[in-house]
Amino acid sequence: MKCFLLFLLISSQSFGQGPIEKNEFITIGGIKQYVRIKGKDMSKPILLFCMEAPGSSVMRQADQMTGKLQQQFVVVHWGQRETGETFRLNKSSQPLTLNLFYNDTHEMIDSLLKRFRRPKLYLACYSWGSAPGFHIAGKYQGLLYAYIAISPAINQWESEKIALEMLKEKRNKRAQKRIGAGKDTF
């Protein structure tokens, strides 16, 4: 009986059924990059979730953000170069450019598609990650079922100008209140 159960477990894993939970490094762009792969059923579609940016890691909150998605997808959280575990293991051997991140993203997608023997995957990118995401969606749409941009960075320069103006306005209002109250410092 034990041999039969072992056979079922091995055969279900080889045909892509059953849960998966792995933390590993994949060589992308000449360096090892961290991925966390989780899903209740390996036969589900792949969702590559890019939510980290150089210098910023949110991997600790990854399961909170995608826990429910792991029921319907094999979710791959990717710690891109200069973030989290990838940065702790190795520094980028090349200067950080958008083209470097475009190439890394394309290579990561190719690697996952080959590994899981899939024709396409879903790509979800958060904030800064939307820059490489839009590039991939425009240039390699044949690799994607869909691209999901979450809080995308559309025009960084314009966003920074708007944020600066908002801060100046808030500071001016606070200064006017303090002056009106007879206080000369803020």
Side-chain angles (χ1 to χ4, degrees):
M1 183 64 170
K2 288 181 183 179
C3 289
F4 179 70
L5 291 174
L6 182 59
F7 170 75
L8 284 178
L9 177 65
I10 291 169
S11 63
S12 72
Q13 297 247 338
S14 65
F15 294 122
Q17 298 172 349
I20 183 169
E21 185 171 339
K22 292 186 174 201
N23 298 312
E24 57 189 55
F25 291 93
I26 299 174
T27 300
I28 300 292
I31 66 169
K32 293 185 183 297
Q33 298 196 31
Y34 177 75
V35 293
R36 178 184 295 164
I37 306 169
K38 282 188 163 187
K40 298 297 179 195
D41 184 348
M42 288 188 350
S43 68
K44 298 288 187 181
I46 300 167
L47 171 63
L48 175 57
F49 205 92
C50 306
M51 59 184 177
E52 299 196 306
S56 171
S57 177
V58 293
M59 195 63 76
R60 290 184 185 178
Q61 296 85 13
D63 287 337
Q64 291 173 323
M65 292 184 239
T66 62
K68 290 185 180 181
L69 291 170
Q70 293 170 22
Q71 304 296 319
Q72 301 301 318
F73 297 92
V74 173
V75 178
V76 179
H77 292 284
W78 174 26
Q80 297 176 30
R81 62 178 69 229
E82 300 299 305
T83 65
E85 296 300 318
T86 298
F87 182 64
R88 280 190 265 292
L89 181 67
N90 46 206
K91 191 164 173 54
S92 179
S93 57
Q94 303 171 50
L96 301 181
T97 65
L98 273 176
N99 279 332
L100 181 61
F101 284 95
Y102 295 163
N103 294 337
D104 281 358
T105 305
H106 184 227
E107 191 175 338
M108 177 61 77
I109 290 170
D110 281 345
S111 174
L112 292 171
L113 293 176
K114 286 176 189 164
R115 175 181 180 168
F116 289 99
R117 296 184 192 113
R118 306 288 170 79
K120 297 179 179 188
L121 56 72
Y122 291 90
L123 177 62
C125 300
Y126 173 76
S127 189
W128 184 91
S130 64
F134 281 122
H135 173 78
I136 294 297
K139 191 166 183 178
Y140 303 104
Q141 61 268 48
L143 299 176
L144 306 177
Y145 289 118
Y147 170 58
I148 303 106
I150 305 163
S151 189
I154 302 297
N155 183 333
Q156 189 65 36
W157 178 249
E158 189 63 27
S159 295
E160 288 177 13
K161 285 183 359 186
I162 291 169
L164 182 59
E165 288 304 314
M166 288 170 58
L167 289 171
K168 285 179 182 178
E169 185 178 316
K170 186 174 183 175
R171 182 174 185 255
N172 287 342
K173 286 181 181 177
R174 191 170 54 213
Q176 289 172 356
K177 280 183 183 177
R178 292 187 68 81
I179 291 170
K183 298 178 183 175
D184 58 356
T185 60
F186 39 116

